[in-house]
PDB file of all heavy atoms in Angstrom:
ATOM      1  N   ILE A   1      40.836 -35.740  76.977  1.00  0.00           N
ATOM      2  CA  ILE A   1      40.233 -34.433  77.220  1.00  0.00           C
ATOM      3  C   ILE A   1      38.781 -34.375  76.729  1.00  0.00           C
ATOM      4  O   ILE A   1      38.016 -33.508  77.150  1.00  0.00           O
ATOM      5  CB  ILE A   1      41.081 -33.317  76.559  1.00  0.00           C
ATOM      6  CG1 ILE A   1      40.787 -31.964  77.222  1.00  0.00           C
ATOM      7  CG2 ILE A   1      40.845 -33.251  75.049  1.00  0.00           C
ATOM      8  CD1 ILE A   1      41.773 -30.886  76.852  1.00  0.00           C
ATOM      9  N   TYR A   2      38.388 -35.334  75.878  1.00  0.00           N
ATOM     10  CA  TYR A   2      37.006 -35.356  75.382  1.00  0.00           C
ATOM     11  C   TYR A   2      36.175 -36.488  75.996  1.00  0.00           C
ATOM     12  O   TYR A   2      35.092 -36.788  75.504  1.00  0.00           O
ATOM     13  CB  TYR A   2      36.998 -35.444  73.849  1.00  0.00           C
ATOM     14  CG  TYR A   2      37.599 -34.205  73.247  1.00  0.00           C
ATOM     15  CD1 TYR A   2      38.879 -34.219  72.711  1.00  0.00           C
ATOM     16  CD2 TYR A   2      36.919 -32.986  73.285  1.00  0.00           C
ATOM     17  CE1 TYR A   2      39.459 -33.062  72.211  1.00  0.00           C
ATOM     18  CE2 TYR A   2      37.484 -31.836  72.787  1.00  0.00           C
ATOM     19  CZ  TYR A   2      38.756 -31.867  72.252  1.00  0.00           C
ATOM     20  OH  TYR A   2      39.332 -30.720  71.775  1.00  0.00           O
ATOM     21  N   ASP A   3      36.691 -37.113  77.048  1.00  0.00           N
ATOM     22  CA  ASP A   3      35.947 -38.202  77.696  1.00  0.00           C
ATOM     23  C   ASP A   3      35.504 -39.242  76.674  1.00  0.00           C
ATOM     24  O   ASP A   3      34.372 -39.733  76.706  1.00  0.00           O
ATOM     25  CB  ASP A   3      34.714 -37.668  78.441  1.00  0.00           C
ATOM     26  CG  ASP A   3      35.076 -36.955  79.738  1.00  0.00           C
ATOM     27  OD1 ASP A   3      36.156 -37.238  80.276  1.00  0.00           O
ATOM     28  OD2 ASP A   3      34.277 -36.113  80.187  1.00  0.00           O
ATOM     29  N   ALA A   4      36.401 -39.585  75.757  1.00  0.00           N
ATOM     30  CA  ALA A   4      36.044 -40.537  74.701  1.00  0.00           C
ATOM     31  C   ALA A   4      35.785 -41.920  75.282  1.00  0.00           C
ATOM     32  O   ALA A   4      36.567 -42.431  76.082  1.00  0.00           O
ATOM     33  CB  ALA A   4      37.162 -40.606  73.660  1.00  0.00           C
ATOM     34  N   ASP A   5      34.665 -42.506  74.860  1.00  0.00           N
ATOM     35  CA  ASP A   5      34.373 -43.890  75.233  1.00  0.00           C
ATOM     36  C   ASP A   5      35.144 -44.861  74.356  1.00  0.00           C
ATOM     37  O   ASP A   5      35.586 -45.915  74.816  1.00  0.00           O
ATOM     38  CB  ASP A   5      32.875 -44.176  75.082  1.00  0.00           C
ATOM     39  CG  ASP A   5      32.025 -43.344  76.024  1.00  0.00           C
ATOM     40  OD1 ASP A   5      32.139 -43.556  77.237  1.00  0.00           O
ATOM     41  OD2 ASP A   5      31.264 -42.491  75.534  1.00  0.00           O
ATOM     42  N   GLY A   6      35.276 -44.511  73.081  1.00  0.00           N
ATOM     43  CA  GLY A   6      35.927 -45.406  72.141  1.00  0.00           C
ATOM     44  C   GLY A   6      36.783 -44.663  71.142  1.00  0.00           C
ATOM     45  O   GLY A   6      36.505 -43.515  70.795  1.00  0.00           O
ATOM     46  N   VAL A   7      37.832 -45.345  70.693  1.00  0.00           N
ATOM     47  CA  VAL A   7      38.748 -44.767  69.718  1.00  0.00           C
ATOM     48  C   VAL A   7      38.973 -45.789  68.604  1.00  0.00           C
ATOM     49  O   VAL A   7      39.477 -46.890  68.865  1.00  0.00           O
ATOM     50  CB  VAL A   7      40.109 -44.407  70.353  1.00  0.00           C
ATOM     51  CG1 VAL A   7      41.026 -43.761  69.326  1.00  0.00           C
ATOM     52  CG2 VAL A   7      39.917 -43.498  71.551  1.00  0.00           C
ATOM     53  N   PRO A   8      38.592 -45.469  67.360  1.00  0.00           N
ATOM     54  CA  PRO A   8      38.896 -46.377  66.244  1.00  0.00           C
ATOM     55  C   PRO A   8      40.407 -46.423  66.027  1.00  0.00           C
ATOM     56  O   PRO A   8      41.043 -45.379  65.867  1.00  0.00           O
ATOM     57  CB  PRO A   8      38.200 -45.732  65.049  1.00  0.00           C
ATOM     58  CG  PRO A   8      37.324 -44.665  65.602  1.00  0.00           C
ATOM     59  CD  PRO A   8      37.903 -44.263  66.913  1.00  0.00           C
ATOM     60  N   VAL A   9      40.972 -47.614  66.083  1.00  0.00           N
ATOM     61  CA  VAL A   9      42.423 -47.732  65.946  1.00  0.00           C
ATOM     62  C   VAL A   9      42.788 -48.829  64.960  1.00  0.00           C
ATOM     63  O   VAL A   9      42.065 -49.803  64.785  1.00  0.00           O
ATOM     64  CB  VAL A   9      43.102 -48.036  67.304  1.00  0.00           C
ATOM     65  CG1 VAL A   9      42.985 -46.867  68.246  1.00  0.00           C
ATOM     66  CG2 VAL A   9      42.545 -49.306  67.936  1.00  0.00           C
ATOM     67  N   GLY A  10      43.942 -48.645  64.346  1.00  0.00           N
ATOM     68  CA  GLY A  10      44.545 -49.683  63.537  1.00  0.00           C
ATOM     69  C   GLY A  10      45.624 -50.378  64.350  1.00  0.00           C
ATOM     70  O   GLY A  10      45.899 -49.998  65.494  1.00  0.00           O
ATOM     71  N   GLU A  11      46.233 -51.372  63.747  1.00  0.00           N
ATOM     72  CA  GLU A  11      47.249 -52.139  64.470  1.00  0.00           C
ATOM     73  C   GLU A  11      48.391 -51.261  64.974  1.00  0.00           C
ATOM     74  O   GLU A  11      48.910 -51.473  66.064  1.00  0.00           O
ATOM     75  CB  GLU A  11      47.803 -53.234  63.549  1.00  0.00           C
ATOM     76  CG  GLU A  11      46.800 -54.327  63.210  1.00  0.00           C
ATOM     77  CD  GLU A  11      47.377 -55.347  62.253  1.00  0.00           C
ATOM     78  OE1 GLU A  11      48.602 -55.311  62.018  1.00  0.00           O
ATOM     79  OE2 GLU A  11      46.615 -56.174  61.739  1.00  0.00           O
ATOM     80  N   ASP A  12      48.783 -50.262  64.179  1.00  0.00           N
ATOM     81  CA  ASP A  12      49.935 -49.446  64.541  1.00  0.00           C
ATOM     82  C   ASP A  12      49.650 -48.492  65.702  1.00  0.00           C
ATOM     83  O   ASP A  12      50.574 -47.905  66.264  1.00  0.00           O
ATOM     84  CB  ASP A  12      50.433 -48.650  63.334  1.00  0.00           C
ATOM     85  CG  ASP A  12      49.362 -47.734  62.757  1.00  0.00           C
ATOM     86  OD1 ASP A  12      48.172 -48.041  62.932  1.00  0.00           O
ATOM     87  OD2 ASP A  12      49.725 -46.719  62.145  1.00  0.00           O
ATOM     88  N   GLN A  13      48.370 -48.327  66.059  1.00  0.00           N
ATOM     89  CA  GLN A  13      48.033 -47.407  67.145  1.00  0.00           C
ATOM     90  C   GLN A  13      47.618 -48.120  68.432  1.00  0.00           C
ATOM     91  O   GLN A  13      47.336 -47.473  69.436  1.00  0.00           O
ATOM     92  CB  GLN A  13      46.888 -46.490  66.701  1.00  0.00           C
ATOM     93  CG  GLN A  13      47.272 -45.537  65.575  1.00  0.00           C
ATOM     94  CD  GLN A  13      46.086 -44.727  65.102  1.00  0.00           C
ATOM     95  OE1 GLN A  13      44.993 -45.258  64.944  1.00  0.00           O
ATOM     96  NE2 GLN A  13      46.296 -43.444  64.872  1.00  0.00           N
ATOM     97  N   THR A  14      47.601 -49.437  68.407  1.00  0.00           N
ATOM     98  CA  THR A  14      47.158 -50.193  69.576  1.00  0.00           C
ATOM     99  C   THR A  14      47.990 -49.873  70.794  1.00  0.00           C
ATOM    100  O   THR A  14      47.469 -49.684  71.906  1.00  0.00           O
ATOM    101  CB  THR A  14      47.229 -51.705  69.280  1.00  0.00           C
ATOM    102  OG1 THR A  14      46.458 -51.993  68.115  1.00  0.00           O
ATOM    103  CG2 THR A  14      46.682 -52.507  70.457  1.00  0.00           C
ATOM    104  N   TYR A  15      49.303 -49.782  70.618  1.00  0.00           N
ATOM    105  CA  TYR A  15      50.202 -49.517  71.747  1.00  0.00           C
ATOM    106  C   TYR A  15      49.952 -48.137  72.335  1.00  0.00           C
ATOM    107  O   TYR A  15      50.030 -47.940  73.548  1.00  0.00           O
ATOM    108  CB  TYR A  15      51.660 -49.648  71.304  1.00  0.00           C
ATOM    109  CG  TYR A  15      52.014 -51.020  70.784  1.00  0.00           C
ATOM    110  CD1 TYR A  15      52.169 -51.242  69.422  1.00  0.00           C
ATOM    111  CD2 TYR A  15      52.181 -52.101  71.654  1.00  0.00           C
ATOM    112  CE1 TYR A  15      52.493 -52.503  68.932  1.00  0.00           C
ATOM    113  CE2 TYR A  15      52.500 -53.369  71.172  1.00  0.00           C
ATOM    114  CZ  TYR A  15      52.652 -53.555  69.818  1.00  0.00           C
ATOM    115  OH  TYR A  15      52.966 -54.801  69.343  1.00  0.00           O
ATOM    116  N   HIS A  16      49.658 -47.166  71.471  1.00  0.00           N
ATOM    117  CA  HIS A  16      49.406 -45.817  71.953  1.00  0.00           C
ATOM    118  C   HIS A  16      48.124 -45.758  72.788  1.00  0.00           C
ATOM    119  O   HIS A  16      48.078 -45.074  73.817  1.00  0.00           O
ATOM    120  CB  HIS A  16      49.302 -44.841  70.768  1.00  0.00           C
ATOM    121  CG  HIS A  16      50.588 -44.644  70.039  1.00  0.00           C
ATOM    122  ND1 HIS A  16      51.614 -43.885  70.537  1.00  0.00           N
ATOM    123  CD2 HIS A  16      51.016 -45.122  68.843  1.00  0.00           C
ATOM    124  CE1 HIS A  16      52.622 -43.897  69.679  1.00  0.00           C
ATOM    125  NE2 HIS A  16      52.282 -44.637  68.656  1.00  0.00           N
ATOM    126  N   LEU A  17      47.099 -46.463  72.349  1.00  0.00           N
ATOM    127  CA  LEU A  17      45.858 -46.444  73.114  1.00  0.00           C
ATOM    128  C   LEU A  17      46.029 -47.167  74.449  1.00  0.00           C
ATOM    129  O   LEU A  17      45.482 -46.738  75.465  1.00  0.00           O
ATOM    130  CB  LEU A  17      44.711 -47.074  72.319  1.00  0.00           C
ATOM    131  CG  LEU A  17      43.357 -46.939  73.005  1.00  0.00           C
ATOM    132  CD1 LEU A  17      42.988 -45.475  73.201  1.00  0.00           C
ATOM    133  CD2 LEU A  17      42.264 -47.641  72.214  1.00  0.00           C
ATOM    134  N   GLU A  18      46.812 -48.232  74.445  1.00  0.00           N
ATOM    135  CA  GLU A  18      47.066 -48.926  75.709  1.00  0.00           C
ATOM    136  C   GLU A  18      47.813 -48.006  76.669  1.00  0.00           C
ATOM    137  O   GLU A  18      47.541 -47.985  77.870  1.00  0.00           O
ATOM    138  CB  GLU A  18      47.885 -50.199  75.459  1.00  0.00           C
ATOM    139  CG  GLU A  18      48.070 -51.065  76.697  1.00  0.00           C
ATOM    140  CD  GLU A  18      46.768 -51.451  77.370  1.00  0.00           C
ATOM    141  OE1 GLU A  18      45.758 -51.688  76.667  1.00  0.00           O
ATOM    142  OE2 GLU A  18      46.738 -51.485  78.617  1.00  0.00           O
ATOM    143  N   PHE A  19      48.746 -47.210  76.130  1.00  0.00           N
ATOM    144  CA  PHE A  19      49.446 -46.233  76.978  1.00  0.00           C
ATOM    145  C   PHE A  19      48.460 -45.198  77.511  1.00  0.00           C
ATOM    146  O   PHE A  19      48.541 -44.790  78.677  1.00  0.00           O
ATOM    147  CB  PHE A  19      50.550 -45.541  76.178  1.00  0.00           C
ATOM    148  CG  PHE A  19      51.242 -44.447  76.941  1.00  0.00           C
ATOM    149  CD1 PHE A  19      52.251 -44.735  77.843  1.00  0.00           C
ATOM    150  CD2 PHE A  19      50.851 -43.121  76.778  1.00  0.00           C
ATOM    151  CE1 PHE A  19      52.873 -43.730  78.572  1.00  0.00           C
ATOM    152  CE2 PHE A  19      51.463 -42.106  77.499  1.00  0.00           C
ATOM    153  CZ  PHE A  19      52.482 -42.416  78.392  1.00  0.00           C
ATOM    154  N   THR A  20      47.515 -44.767  76.668  1.00  0.00           N
ATOM    155  CA  THR A  20      46.494 -43.806  77.102  1.00  0.00           C
ATOM    156  C   THR A  20      45.706 -44.365  78.278  1.00  0.00           C
ATOM    157  O   THR A  20      45.452 -43.667  79.276  1.00  0.00           O
ATOM    158  CB  THR A  20      45.541 -43.485  75.935  1.00  0.00           C
ATOM    159  OG1 THR A  20      46.290 -42.856  74.886  1.00  0.00           O
ATOM    160  CG2 THR A  20      44.422 -42.556  76.373  1.00  0.00           C
ATOM    161  N   ARG A  21      45.308 -45.612  78.185  1.00  0.00           N
ATOM    162  CA  ARG A  21      44.558 -46.247  79.266  1.00  0.00           C
ATOM    163  C   ARG A  21      45.405 -46.315  80.546  1.00  0.00           C
ATOM    164  O   ARG A  21      44.929 -46.026  81.641  1.00  0.00           O
ATOM    165  CB  ARG A  21      44.128 -47.653  78.848  1.00  0.00           C
ATOM    166  CG  ARG A  21      43.050 -47.667  77.766  1.00  0.00           C
ATOM    167  CD  ARG A  21      42.812 -49.070  77.213  1.00  0.00           C
ATOM    168  NE  ARG A  21      42.507 -50.027  78.273  1.00  0.00           N
ATOM    169  CZ  ARG A  21      41.296 -50.217  78.777  1.00  0.00           C
ATOM    170  NH1 ARG A  21      40.276 -49.513  78.329  1.00  0.00           N
ATOM    171  NH2 ARG A  21      41.094 -51.112  79.720  1.00  0.00           N
ATOM    172  N   GLU A  22      46.672 -46.649  80.382  1.00  0.00           N
ATOM    173  CA  GLU A  22      47.564 -46.764  81.546  1.00  0.00           C
ATOM    174  C   GLU A  22      47.742 -45.426  82.258  1.00  0.00           C
ATOM    175  O   GLU A  22      47.682 -45.348  83.489  1.00  0.00           O
ATOM    176  CB  GLU A  22      48.937 -47.290  81.105  1.00  0.00           C
ATOM    177  CG  GLU A  22      48.947 -48.750  80.690  1.00  0.00           C
ATOM    178  CD  GLU A  22      50.289 -49.170  80.140  1.00  0.00           C
ATOM    179  OE1 GLU A  22      51.269 -48.392  80.307  1.00  0.00           O
ATOM    180  OE2 GLU A  22      50.385 -50.250  79.530  1.00  0.00           O
ATOM    181  N   ILE A  23      47.970 -44.369  81.466  1.00  0.00           N
ATOM    182  CA  ILE A  23      48.250 -43.077  82.111  1.00  0.00           C
ATOM    183  C   ILE A  23      46.981 -42.503  82.735  1.00  0.00           C
ATOM    184  O   ILE A  23      47.043 -41.830  83.775  1.00  0.00           O
ATOM    185  CB  ILE A  23      48.901 -42.092  81.108  1.00  0.00           C
ATOM    186  CG1 ILE A  23      49.670 -40.999  81.880  1.00  0.00           C
ATOM    187  CG2 ILE A  23      47.887 -41.480  80.159  1.00  0.00           C
ATOM    188  CD1 ILE A  23      50.604 -40.189  81.025  1.00  0.00           C
ATOM    189  N   ALA A  24      45.812 -42.801  82.148  1.00  0.00           N
ATOM    190  CA  ALA A  24      44.549 -42.362  82.750  1.00  0.00           C
ATOM    191  C   ALA A  24      44.308 -43.094  84.072  1.00  0.00           C
ATOM    192  O   ALA A  24      43.879 -42.490  85.065  1.00  0.00           O
ATOM    193  CB  ALA A  24      43.395 -42.618  81.783  1.00  0.00           C
ATOM    194  N   GLU A  25      44.582 -44.376  84.081  1.00  0.00           N
ATOM    195  CA  GLU A  25      44.420 -45.150  85.312  1.00  0.00           C
ATOM    196  C   GLU A  25      45.393 -44.675  86.392  1.00  0.00           C
ATOM    197  O   GLU A  25      45.040 -44.603  87.576  1.00  0.00           O
ATOM    198  CB  GLU A  25      44.629 -46.634  85.020  1.00  0.00           C
ATOM    199  CG  GLU A  25      43.478 -47.252  84.218  1.00  0.00           C
ATOM    200  CD  GLU A  25      43.802 -48.638  83.677  1.00  0.00           C
ATOM    201  OE1 GLU A  25      44.981 -49.058  83.787  1.00  0.00           O
ATOM    202  OE2 GLU A  25      42.883 -49.286  83.137  1.00  0.00           O
ATOM    203  N   LYS A  26      46.615 -44.324  85.992  1.00  0.00           N
ATOM    204  CA  LYS A  26      47.593 -43.825  86.964  1.00  0.00           C
ATOM    205  C   LYS A  26      47.137 -42.487  87.534  1.00  0.00           C
ATOM    206  O   LYS A  26      47.231 -42.257  88.755  1.00  0.00           O
ATOM    207  CB  LYS A  26      48.965 -43.678  86.299  1.00  0.00           C
ATOM    208  CG  LYS A  26      50.065 -43.241  87.264  1.00  0.00           C
ATOM    209  CD  LYS A  26      51.430 -43.259  86.593  1.00  0.00           C
ATOM    210  CE  LYS A  26      52.531 -42.872  87.586  1.00  0.00           C
ATOM    211  NZ  LYS A  26      53.879 -42.927  86.950  1.00  0.00           N
ATOM    212  N   PHE A  27      46.639 -41.611  86.664  1.00  0.00           N
ATOM    213  CA  PHE A  27      46.139 -40.311  87.128  1.00  0.00           C
ATOM    214  C   PHE A  27      44.997 -40.519  88.123  1.00  0.00           C
ATOM    215  O   PHE A  27      44.968 -39.901  89.203  1.00  0.00           O
ATOM    216  CB  PHE A  27      45.664 -39.477  85.940  1.00  0.00           C
ATOM    217  CG  PHE A  27      45.267 -38.067  86.293  1.00  0.00           C
ATOM    218  CD1 PHE A  27      46.164 -37.026  86.141  1.00  0.00           C
ATOM    219  CD2 PHE A  27      44.008 -37.780  86.805  1.00  0.00           C
ATOM    220  CE1 PHE A  27      45.818 -35.718  86.476  1.00  0.00           C
ATOM    221  CE2 PHE A  27      43.644 -36.484  87.147  1.00  0.00           C
ATOM    222  CZ  PHE A  27      44.559 -35.448  86.980  1.00  0.00           C
ATOM    223  N   ASN A  28      44.072 -41.402  87.778  1.00  0.00           N
ATOM    224  CA  ASN A  28      42.919 -41.647  88.652  1.00  0.00           C
ATOM    225  C   ASN A  28      43.336 -42.252  89.987  1.00  0.00           C
ATOM    226  O   ASN A  28      42.749 -41.943  91.037  1.00  0.00           O
ATOM    227  CB  ASN A  28      41.916 -42.571  87.953  1.00  0.00           C
ATOM    228  CG  ASN A  28      41.198 -41.883  86.797  1.00  0.00           C
ATOM    229  OD1 ASN A  28      41.254 -40.664  86.661  1.00  0.00           O
ATOM    230  ND2 ASN A  28      40.526 -42.664  85.971  1.00  0.00           N
ATOM    231  N   SER A  29      44.366 -43.108  89.970  1.00  0.00           N
ATOM    232  CA  SER A  29      44.817 -43.713  91.228  1.00  0.00           C
ATOM    233  C   SER A  29      45.491 -42.693  92.128  1.00  0.00           C
ATOM    234  O   SER A  29      45.435 -42.788  93.356  1.00  0.00           O
ATOM    235  CB  SER A  29      45.780 -44.874  90.943  1.00  0.00           C
ATOM    236  OG  SER A  29      47.014 -44.391  90.425  1.00  0.00           O
ATOM    237  N   LEU A  30      46.110 -41.687  91.523  1.00  0.00           N
ATOM    238  CA  LEU A  30      46.794 -40.650  92.296  1.00  0.00           C
ATOM    239  C   LEU A  30      45.830 -39.571  92.790  1.00  0.00           C
ATOM    240  O   LEU A  30      45.951 -39.088  93.925  1.00  0.00           O
ATOM    241  CB  LEU A  30      47.887 -39.988  91.437  1.00  0.00           C
ATOM    242  CG  LEU A  30      49.131 -40.819  91.134  1.00  0.00           C
ATOM    243  CD1 LEU A  30      49.982 -40.114  90.081  1.00  0.00           C
ATOM    244  CD2 LEU A  30      49.958 -41.051  92.409  1.00  0.00           C
ATOM    245  N   TYR A  31      44.862 -39.189  91.963  1.00  0.00           N
ATOM    246  CA  TYR A  31      44.071 -37.990  92.251  1.00  0.00           C
ATOM    247  C   TYR A  31      42.560 -38.236  92.323  1.00  0.00           C
ATOM    248  O   TYR A  31      41.800 -37.285  92.454  1.00  0.00           O
ATOM    249  CB  TYR A  31      44.356 -36.922  91.190  1.00  0.00           C
ATOM    250  CG  TYR A  31      45.830 -36.639  91.001  1.00  0.00           C
ATOM    251  CD1 TYR A  31      46.470 -36.954  89.799  1.00  0.00           C
ATOM    252  CD2 TYR A  31      46.592 -36.074  92.019  1.00  0.00           C
ATOM    253  CE1 TYR A  31      47.828 -36.701  89.618  1.00  0.00           C
ATOM    254  CE2 TYR A  31      47.949 -35.826  91.850  1.00  0.00           C
ATOM    255  CZ  TYR A  31      48.562 -36.148  90.645  1.00  0.00           C
ATOM    256  OH  TYR A  31      49.893 -35.900  90.478  1.00  0.00           O
ATOM    257  N   GLY A  32      42.149 -39.490  92.233  1.00  0.00           N
ATOM    258  CA  GLY A  32      40.723 -39.775  92.250  1.00  0.00           C
ATOM    259  C   GLY A  32      40.165 -39.939  90.854  1.00  0.00           C
ATOM    260  O   GLY A  32      40.777 -39.530  89.859  1.00  0.00           O
ATOM    261  N   GLU A  33      38.993 -40.544  90.764  1.00  0.00           N
ATOM    262  CA  GLU A  33      38.384 -40.840  89.466  1.00  0.00           C
ATOM    263  C   GLU A  33      38.043 -39.542  88.726  1.00  0.00           C
ATOM    264  O   GLU A  33      37.072 -38.862  89.042  1.00  0.00           O
ATOM    265  CB  GLU A  33      37.121 -41.681  89.657  1.00  0.00           C
ATOM    266  CG  GLU A  33      37.395 -43.077  90.198  1.00  0.00           C
ATOM    267  CD  GLU A  33      38.214 -43.917  89.236  1.00  0.00           C
ATOM    268  OE1 GLU A  33      37.965 -43.836  88.017  1.00  0.00           O
ATOM    269  OE2 GLU A  33      39.125 -44.639  89.705  1.00  0.00           O
ATOM    270  N   THR A  34      38.864 -39.235  87.744  1.00  0.00           N
ATOM    271  CA  THR A  34      38.737 -37.980  87.007  1.00  0.00           C
ATOM    272  C   THR A  34      38.634 -38.199  85.503  1.00  0.00           C
ATOM    273  O   THR A  34      37.844 -37.539  84.816  1.00  0.00           O
ATOM    274  CB  THR A  34      39.955 -37.075  87.288  1.00  0.00           C
ATOM    275  OG1 THR A  34      40.130 -36.933  88.698  1.00  0.00           O
ATOM    276  CG2 THR A  34      39.796 -35.708  86.640  1.00  0.00           C
TER     277      THR A  34
END
């Protein structure tokens, strides 16, 4: 929601950020680059 370019993460949050990237890419593939 903040158009973040980067997110400081530790090892325990790596999976969550990868999920964030996946769901953003899925949204963009369905509805256009948003």
